[in-house]
Amino acid sequence: MRSLSGVRRAVGRVFAGLLFLSYLELHGTVATSEADLELQAELLARGSSLATSNVLTLDNDQSQWCKVNRDGATTTSLPWTWEPMCVSGISADTDSDFDEEEELRKWTYCVYTNGEVMGGRGVSLVTTPEVAAGLMMVDFADEDEDGNPLPDREEDLKHLYEVKDTQDKGKGVFAKQDLAAGDIIMRTSPILFVARSALQDLEAKQRAKLLDQAVSQLPSTSQNLVLDLARSHGGDPITDILKTNAMGTEIVAVGHLGLIPESARINHACRPNAFYRFNDQTLQFEEFVLVDIPQGQELTHNYGFSLLPYEQRREAIKENWAFECTCELCSRSAAERAASDERLEDIQGIKGKLPTRFDKTPQMLAYLPPLLELLDKENLTSEKPQFEEVLAYVWSVFGQEARAREWGEKAKKGWEVLAGRESWEARRLRDFVADVKGHGSWGIWPEGEFEEEYLEGDHVHDDDEEHEHEHGHEHDHGHEHHGHGHDHEHEHGHGHGHSHEHHHEH
């Protein structure tokens, strides 16, 4: 399942190339300002230019330590309460375009730990010195400027859910009271972060040594939270726990796995009722519900492969998390599963045909309504706000205030759940709905070129469909089956009884 940042990036991709992109002000969709990016780039540049001294390879079982620069560029920020432990090496660049000559890439990974932050919960990272440098802006405050505890910390939310045995999936998380869409049920921080690339670059012995060190440097209560989690792959215990329970995150725009023991108890469903947000500027994690949930109902996540058809989805889940999915969708009749597969194929086909040129904007009216209808039928709740927002702006481009406001309201409500009521996404939609005509997209379609048939949507076709018309062929108004173009942004994996996993290792 894609994280919120993945959904935000998708919004940008939908609009890529459209001439009215600047009007829609989507450059701020990813929650990082230009100033932040410039600072981030500067920090990364500084970090990469400062050599880490005395980096040693862990050849034996003995722990070997390295000194790293303490000039504010490679350790900084928390500060670290343990001396960083590092290992370096050289790997073939798997992304190289050269078939005959492999490019070599140097790397260094270190264990960084602060055992005091997050109210004594602590945090350990197995990552690069450059990422550690980028964390200098992280705010770990537990109190506001007046010294008052910040609201909705984990200890304040535990009354909303309980962990108990399920009938056939081991432990699970259940609502202790009625929950409304958008309610936050967990707000905490990962205990352990591991750079995704470290799982490929480090040899098994090196990886085990760094991970063991990372966990051993945490406070004892946090160590126990980690060690109590389920395992499913075998081999090194901490590596197994990580692969079984971690979820995808990004730190300083670098992919990491984050281990949140509380969330790791949430079981899988191909159409979940919960989702999560991660703020890489505070390292804070929020779990919230996507739909209204009655007291006693189990909370679920989608671990990945949500857009794959049934058979492929089932095999992928079994291969990665060692369990047979028995969620509501996968337990339907063969006919219902086939209908779902057909909708998923249509969804991928329509997504692949969304126009990226301004002069093709009318085609959005042919594709977006059926796409949203398909997403609704498939209960792909987290996918909808981005396309509802696009449709609102398209109607604004054509000067259709009522329709623009209608879809703007839907997008606003969706973003309030998905990104939060005070998110930038929700605020910009509130502004849009309040003053549609004041938005930069309003009425920019050339005067005199709006055709009434655009109002019907179904009657707007792409070039291929118009070409078929000329030859007397039938078309299906954007519902052609164009293959699966599957979305493999399966960043999230948790537990499923014996296999609480959120991570798929490629």
Side-chain angles (χ1 to χ4, degrees), residues 164-358:
K164 62 182 183 179
D165 291 329
T166 66
Q167 187 173 4
D168 57 357
K169 296 179 291 187
K171 299 290 185 181
V173 177
F174 294 79
K176 291 182 69 174
Q177 63 183 55
D178 292 345
L179 299 172
D183 281 354
I184 297 172
I185 56 171
M186 295 180 185
R187 177 175 282 156
T188 184
S189 60
I191 288 177
L192 176 64
F193 290 94
V194 179
R196 285 184 181 272
S197 56
L199 298 178
Q200 283 76 45
D201 289 338
L202 292 168
E203 296 178 359
K205 199 171 187 179
Q206 295 172 326
R207 182 174 62 238
K209 176 64 69 174
L210 292 185
L211 290 176
D212 287 347
Q213 195 66 43
V215 173
S216 69
Q217 293 175 177
L218 292 168
S220 58
T221 53
S222 293
Q223 291 183 42
N224 292 334
L225 286 174
V226 172
L227 296 175
D228 284 345
L229 293 174
R231 309 173 192 179
S232 63
H233 294 270
D236 170 62
I238 306 301
T239 301
D240 192 359
I241 288 171
L242 182 74
K243 292 181 177 180
T244 303
N245 298 278
M247 62 178 60
T249 62
E250 286 189 356
I251 306 176
V252 197
V254 176
H256 284 69
L257 298 179
L259 189 62
I260 304 104
E262 296 82 359
S263 180
R265 298 297 186 185
I266 299 179
N267 285 313
H268 166 81
C270 293
R271 298 295 178 261
N273 57 20
F275 203 67
Y276 73 97
R277 296 185 283 261
F278 176 74
N279 187 329
D280 65 351
Q281 297 179 2
T282 64
L283 301 190
Q284 188 175 80
F285 166 89
E286 290 183 343
E287 184 80 35
F288 62 95
V289 296
L290 283 170
V291 296
D292 294 345
I293 295 177
Q295 180 180 354
Q297 183 171 316
E298 184 178 6
L299 302 174
T300 56
H301 271 155
N302 180 273
Y303 297 176
F305 308 106
S306 61
L307 297 181
L308 288 180
Y310 168 70
E311 290 293 347
Q312 295 181 38
R313 187 173 67 242
R314 184 183 65 170
E315 289 302 316
I317 291 171
K318 185 176 182 179
E319 177 183 350
N320 287 277
W321 299 296
F323 68 84
E324 294 275 359
C325 183
T326 58
C327 74
E328 188 275 333
L329 178 61
C330 291
S331 299
R332 293 178 184 176
S333 67
E336 290 174 316
R337 293 197 303 265
S340 172
D341 288 350
E342 185 174 354
R343 286 191 292 270
L344 290 171
E345 188 173 9
D346 285 342
I347 287 169
Q348 297 293 6
I350 294 175
K351 283 183 176 181
K353 298 178 73 174
L354 291 177
T356 57
R357 286 169 45 188
F358 181 66

Side-chain angles (χ1 to χ4, degrees), residues 83-102:
E83 191 73 22
M85 177 182 183
C86 305
V87 60
S88 65
I90 300 175
S91 298
D93 189 350
T94 57
D95 295 328
S96 174
D97 294 330
F98 300 97
D99 295 330
E100 297 181 359
E101 297 183 8
E102 290 184 332

Side-chain angles (χ1 to χ4, degrees), residues 108-165:
T108 297
Y109 297 103
C110 304
V111 177
Y112 299 96
T113 302
N114 186 303
E116 300 173 357
V117 295
M118 304 297 188
R121 179 183 176 92
V123 61
S124 281
L125 301 95
V126 178
T127 191
T128 66
E130 291 81 8
V131 169
L135 290 175
M136 66 183 299
M137 301 301 292
V138 170
D139 179 10
F140 289 100
D142 292 313
E143 300 177 342
D144 62 21
E145 295 178 354
D146 298 323
N148 300 312
L150 292 173
D152 294 333
R153 293 297 187 184
E154 177 64 21
E155 58 269 20
D156 298 324
L157 298 173
K158 287 183 178 179
H159 65 285
L160 299 178
Y161 67 91
E162 61 181 334
V163 177
K164 62 182 183 179
D165 291 329

Side-chain angles (χ1 to χ4, degrees), residues 15-30:
F15 283 108
L18 286 175
L19 296 182
F20 61 90
L21 178 61
S22 60
Y23 292 100
L24 306 187
E25 303 172 345
L26 286 177
H27 58 276
T29 300
V30 178

